[in-house]
C-alpha cells in the first residue's frame, strides 16, 4: 500500500537532516509522477489523492503546493492540481546533464568509496529488483532514487546530489508500465547490482560501461508509451 511507504525514508538525508512528514508525502507524490501513475493532463484533488495514498488531506495539499513551485503540477481553481507534461526535448536535456554528472562521479567512486558504504547500498539495490518483480512502480522509483542519490552522496558533494535530485524530480518514466507488461523491468533493475559489483571490484571501465548503459535505458523509459 502506497500509504505505508509515505512514512518511510525516500531520499537520503542530506547534511544529516531528516525529511518532514510533508516532505515525505511530497516525495511519494513525486515517485507517483515519475512512475507515470499520475499522468500529464490529469487533474487531482488533495482529498482524492489523500484517500489513494492513505494519508490525511492537509499534508497532501501542502505537498502539492510544493510540487507546483517545482513545475510538476499546476493549480486549477476549484478543482485541484493538473499534472504538467514534459517534452521530449526536456527529457533529452535532463539525460545529457545527468550523464555529464553521474557517469564520471560514479566512476570516481571506484577508487574512493569505502567497501562498507557500498555494502550499505546493496539492500537498496535489492529493493529495486524486488519492486520490479512485484510490478510496484512507486516502490521501484522510491528505491531507485534512494540508491542513486545515496551513491552520489559518497562523493561528498551535497550540491551535486541536489542537482541530480532536482533533475529526477522533473522526469517522467512513462515506459515503466510497458516494461512491466513485457517482463523486462527486472533486467533493468538488476543493473543497480551490476553497478555495485563493478565498484566493489574497483573496475572503472566496467563502472563506466554499466552506468552509460543504465542511463541510456533510463532515457528509453522516459519516452512516452
Amino acid at each position: 500500500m502506497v500509504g505505508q511507504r509515505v512514512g518511510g525514508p525516500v531520499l537520503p538525508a542530506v547534511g544529516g537532516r531528516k525529511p518532514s512528514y510533508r516532505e515525505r508525502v511530497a516525495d511519494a507524490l513525486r515517485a507517483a509522477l515519475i512512475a507515470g501513475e499520475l499522468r500529464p493532463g490529469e487533474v487531482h484533488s488533495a482529498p482524492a489523492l489523500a484517500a489513494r495514498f492513505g494519508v490525511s488531506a492537509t499534508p497532501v495539499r501542502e505537498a502539492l503546493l510544493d510540487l507546483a513551485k517545482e513545475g510538476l503540477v499546476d493549480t486549477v481553481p476549484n478543482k485541484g492540481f493538473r499534472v504538467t507534461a514534459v517534452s521530449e526535448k526536456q527529457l533529452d536535456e535532463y539525460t545529457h546533464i545527468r550523464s555529464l554528472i553521474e557517469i564520471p562521479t560514479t566512476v570516481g567512486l571506484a577508487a574512493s568509496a569505502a567497501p562498507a558504504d557500498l555494502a550499505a547500498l546493496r539492500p537498496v539495490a535489492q529493493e529495486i529488483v524486488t519492486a520490479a518483480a512485484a510490478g510496484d512502480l512507486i516502490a521501484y522509483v522510491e528505491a531507485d532514487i534512494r540508491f542513486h542519490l545515496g551513491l552520489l552522496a559518497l562523493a561528498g558533494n551535497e550540491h551535486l546530489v541536489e542537482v541530480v535530485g532536482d533533475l529526477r524530480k522533473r522526469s517522467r518514466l512513462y515506459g515503466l508500465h510497458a516494461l512491466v507488461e513485457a517482463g523486462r523491468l527486472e533486467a533493468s533493475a538488476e543493473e543497480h547490482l551490476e553497478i555495485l559489483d563493478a565498484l566493489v571490484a574497483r573496475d572503472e571501465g566496467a563502472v563506466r560501461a554499466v552506468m552509460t548503459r543504465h542511463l541510456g535505458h533510463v532515457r528509453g523509459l522516459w519516452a512516452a508509451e
Side-chain angles (χ1 to χ4, degrees):
M1 178 180 174
V2 176
Q4 293 176 326
R5 286 194 298 275
V6 169
V10 177
L11 299 177
V14 177
R17 185 182 67 82
K18 293 183 179 179
S20 67
Y21 185 67
R22 170 177 174 169
E23 290 171 326
R24 291 198 297 269
V25 171
D27 288 338
L29 289 173
R30 286 190 195 95
L33 285 165
I34 294 170
E37 293 287 330
L38 304 178
R39 303 303 298 267
E42 294 179 346
V43 177
H44 299 276
S45 69
L49 285 176
R52 176 173 174 177
F53 279 67
V55 296
S56 61
T58 298
V60 171
R61 186 175 293 105
E62 293 174 342
L64 285 168
L65 290 173
D66 291 338
L67 299 189
K69 293 176 182 177
E70 297 171 8
L72 299 180
V73 298
D74 292 323
T75 302
V76 181
N78 303 318
K79 291 186 178 180
F81 298 83
R82 178 183 291 111
V83 179
T84 59
V86 182
S87 70
E88 291 294 311
K89 182 176 184 295
Q90 287 174 307
L91 295 177
D92 285 335
E93 291 172 349
Y94 295 159
T95 306
H96 183 214
I97 297 170
R98 283 188 58 190
S99 66
L100 292 175
I101 297 173
E102 292 190 61
I103 293 176
T105 301
T106 305
V107 169
L109 292 176
S112 64
D117 290 334
L118 295 174
L121 286 169
R122 192 166 293 276
V124 184
Q126 190 58 54
E127 279 185 51
I128 300 171
V129 175
T130 300
D136 189 336
L137 301 186
I138 296 178
Y140 179 97
V141 169
E142 288 182 343
D144 180 74
I145 291 173
R146 279 189 285 129
F147 176 85
H148 283 287
L149 296 192
L151 187 62
L152 292 174
L154 299 182
N157 188 330
E158 293 183 3
H159 294 293
L160 181 150
V161 176
E162 291 174 1
V163 169
V164 174
D166 182 68
L167 290 171
R168 284 174 163 273
K169 291 175 185 176
R170 297 174 185 278
S171 67
R172 304 288 194 278
L173 297 176
Y174 302 135
L176 282 177
H177 291 277
L179 283 186
V180 170
E181 293 173 2
R184 293 168 46 210
L185 188 59
E186 288 182 68
S188 178
E190 288 173 356
E191 289 178 339
H192 299 84
L193 294 171
E194 288 185 54
I195 293 169
L196 286 180
D197 289 340
L199 287 170
V200 170
R202 306 297 187 187
D203 188 335
E204 294 185 0
V207 174
R208 184 179 300 278
V210 178
M211 278 297 299
T212 301
R213 170 162 42 94
H214 184 62
L215 286 181
H217 289 169
V218 167
R219 177 59 185 97
L221 293 176
W222 280 356
E225 295 175 24

